[in-house]
Amino acid sequence: MTTLDPATPAEVPTAPKAPHPIRELLIQRTLLGLLTLFLVSVVVFAATQVLPGNAAYAVLGQTATPDSLHLLEHRLGLDRPAIEQYWTWLSHLLRGDLGTSLVGQQRPVGSLVWPRVLNSAVLVLLAGVIGSIVGVLLGLWAALRRDRPTDHVLSVTSLAVTSLPEFAVAIGLVFVFATNVFRIFPAVSPIPPGEKPWDEPQMLVLPVLTLVVVVVPYIFRMMRAATIEALESEYVEMARLKGLPKTAVLLRHALPNALPATIQAIGLTFLYLAGGIVLVEYVFAYPGIGAGLVDAVTDKDIPVIQFIVILLAAFYVFMNIASDVASLLASPRRRIPR
Amino acid sequence: MTAPAKDAPEVDVPRVRRSELGHVLRDTVRTTRGIVGLGLTGLVLLVAFGGPFVAPYDPEEYVTAPFAKPSALYHLGGDNLGRDVFSRLLCGGWQLIVMAAIATVIGVALGAVAGIYAGYRRGLPDTVVMRAVDVLLAFPQIVFALLLVSVVGPRDWLLVVAVGLSHAPQVARVLRASTLDVSERDFVKAVEITGVSTPRIMIGEILPNLVTPLMVEIGLRMTYSIVIMAGLSFIGFGLPPPQPNWGTMINENRIGLTLNPWAALSPAIMIALLTIGLNTFTDAVTRVALGVDRKEAALAVAGPSLVAPPAHVASTDTGAGS
């Protein structure tokens, strides 16, 4: 990143200045992230296996007999002390031994969840990338047309859309594009097992579109605000007064300073998507981890719930570090040790 | 369209006093966004709470054909089991809204106490609270709620507690930032010298200066509460089925979208109007309280929050002058 930073022109790099704060931040954040994940695992374990009464009974429900109850308690390790249970669980998890599902054919959790992870990753990536591009462009456009009709229409629309629940957007899109008005795209997207999502791109359209619609207003608002702030700054005024062409002012002076905020917004968007996929995948019967989590919670399939929730939390922690580092890289001023 | 420009100096120094609450609300209602937001919210609340008294049929009774088209007798047609959609729509909102409101109160109260305490005491309490916040933030809100109901099953109180808890970390982050700002002011220092106890300073000196960020948080969290509560009902973790509920209704009736679209669309529209209304009103409050464009960033940041926002983001945080 060799962005020009007008604010620190006099800083002649005496020593190689770049990597220090970033390496420091990276190490610090990674350690904190690992600590967070450890505590996350405690919370997940406590919520599913220790806290609320007897998990074995919850799983078996009405059909519980003393024998089956004992068997399941033993299998889940519920007959041992909580600390020991936790330790066994965590060490198995860290060794990649995820246990087996409690329902159906009792398949290993890994073989149930990993294919879903791929499906969800495709969904999140497509929605995140498309949403970011659309949001950034619309935000820029509105900022450049500030207080004109375009800006007002975009801002008011984004305010309305940003508060819509994913499932309401999904139902609306299904109504318009799948069932009632046009019948272009499938209303549900059940990718058959063994197939990859990109084998049937038409099935991806509505789930991705739903997430894009939900995500764009947020990036739009951040981008618009950041650009307006940059455009109003004194150094942009200066550049303008020097007589630089409009595009040069925008591209070389205003935009680089709006970049960190935008990167933050995009990072937050991906974080949002980790939760957003739950409802959207459920609506479209899309076989990702979001829908998998809903199914697992419905079936009280505890090992699957534990693993999916930890995966989502790990994604959160990782994205957080990535977006912090990226926004630091994008703001030269803050790279210099103070 | 734009909020009336308040006296300019107020932008940088949020001097919020007890009486400011009234001022902000009054100014908010004078803006277009404020009145539109209030109107939409009021309309939906009227339907949700007045509806049960005027519903033409018993919402749980089978009165017509499944997915019957709308007619003079059944204004919005029939649902998947032949119940009157209109009656179910009128009766299916209030529980959702009450539960969301309680969850909001729990979440904002917990988050405010933790955030103000952490921000005022600094040091160890701050570290502990912020670590806990980091951990809870790692769960997407709906995932956290699902995790808590996974073993016990969906119970009203548990849903309310789960959604409330899931709000707390974000509220704590925002109010901690505002508290850091307020507790540096001279009047707080002055009271500290007189030996007033920590809780009394937090309630008597700091809290009154956080009215604006609190109002914004309440508005935002209420919107999210509705979204999450309805979402949980939608995926089958809400109130048990025979009762009408907007979230459940959408899910029950979406298979009949081609036969009677209103059965699924009308509850979705109600939820959408409510969240749009609440969010628009909250946006208007923010604009009035802080100025105009900068708070859009603040509002956006107040959403799903990062562990530690870089300085330029933190500086646009609610309540903090740049």
Side-chain angles (χ1 to χ4, degrees), chain A residues 1 33 40 72 74 81 101 104 116 138 141 174 199 239 242 272 275 279 281 288 298:
Chain A
M1 292 248 107
V40 160
L72 187 62
H74 185 69
S101 163
R116 286 178 175 268
L138 286 179
W141 192 33
V174 167
D199 293 337
K242 273 197 304 188
Y272 155 78
L279 286 172
E281 288 181 356
T298 310

Side-chain angles (χ1 to χ4, degrees), chain A residues 68-228:
Chain A
S68 65
L69 213 55
H70 270 299
L71 209 62
L72 187 62
E73 271 179 7
H74 185 69
R75 208 173 121 201
L76 291 172
L78 294 175
D79 44 1
R80 287 171 295 144
I83 302 283
E84 197 189 318
Q85 284 182 47
Y86 173 71
W87 179 245
T88 318
W89 176 73
L90 185 68
S91 55
H92 281 227
L93 188 72
L94 290 178
R95 268 186 271 128
D97 174 7
L98 306 169
T100 54
S101 163
L102 298 178
V103 295
Q105 297 159 330
Q106 315 212 329
R107 292 169 56 196
V109 171
S111 76
L112 279 173
V113 174
W114 287 121
R116 286 178 175 268
V117 172
L118 176 74
N119 292 344
S120 289
V122 170
L123 191 60
V124 165
L125 207 64
L126 276 175
V129 169
I130 297 173
S132 300
I133 294 172
V134 175
V136 164
L137 291 179
L138 286 179
L140 255 182
W141 192 33
L144 293 175
R145 299 252 179 302
R146 191 182 174 188
D147 288 335
R148 291 206 233 152
T150 325
D151 178 29
H152 284 307
V153 170
L154 283 174
S155 295
V156 170
T157 313
S158 84
L159 182 62
V161 175
T162 196
S163 35
L164 291 178
E166 303 92 347
F167 55 90
V169 174
I171 291 295
L173 290 176
V174 167
F175 177 80
V176 175
F177 293 109
T179 54
N180 294 54
V181 184
F182 307 104
R183 300 188 181 184
I184 325 175
F185 301 115
V188 287
S189 317
I191 312 281
E195 274 188 52
K196 300 281 177 273
W198 50 83
D199 293 337
E200 310 209 31
Q202 81 281 2
M203 285 199 175
L204 279 168
V205 175
L206 286 187
V208 169
L209 188 59
T210 306
L211 287 170
V212 166
V213 167
V214 180
V215 148
V216 161
Y218 174 70
I219 304 178
F220 162 81
R221 299 177 81 188
M222 283 290 276
M223 185 65 192
R224 176 180 175 275
T227 312
I228 285 177

Side-chain angles (χ1 to χ4, degrees), chain A residues 146 221 224 264 268 283 320, chain B residues 152 254 275 283 293 304 306:
Chain A
R146 191 182 174 188
R221 299 177 81 188
R224 176 180 175 275
Q264 286 283 328
L268 287 169
V283 176
N320 231 331
Chain B
V152 180
R254 65 194 171 109
T275 53
D283 185 72
D293 277 309
L306 281 185

Side-chain angles (χ1 to χ4, degrees), chain A residues 163 165, chain B residues 41 44-45 49 93-108 141 163-164 167 171 214-230 271 274-279 281-282:
Chain A
S163 35
Chain B
T41 311
V44 177
L45 291 184
F49 289 94
W94 68 270
Q95 276 170 310
L96 191 71
I97 295 171
V98 168
M99 285 169 74
I102 303 175
T104 307
V105 171
I106 293 176
V108 172
Q141 282 191 284
V163 174
H167 287 316
V171 178
L214 261 178
M215 276 199 305
V216 172
E217 279 307 298
I218 290 171
L220 272 178
R221 299 304 148 201
M222 184 64 195
T223 313
Y224 291 148
S225 286
I226 301 271
V227 170
I228 297 169
M229 277 293 174
I271 294 172
L274 180 57
T275 53
I276 290 175
L278 280 168
N279 207 31
F281 185 74
T282 309

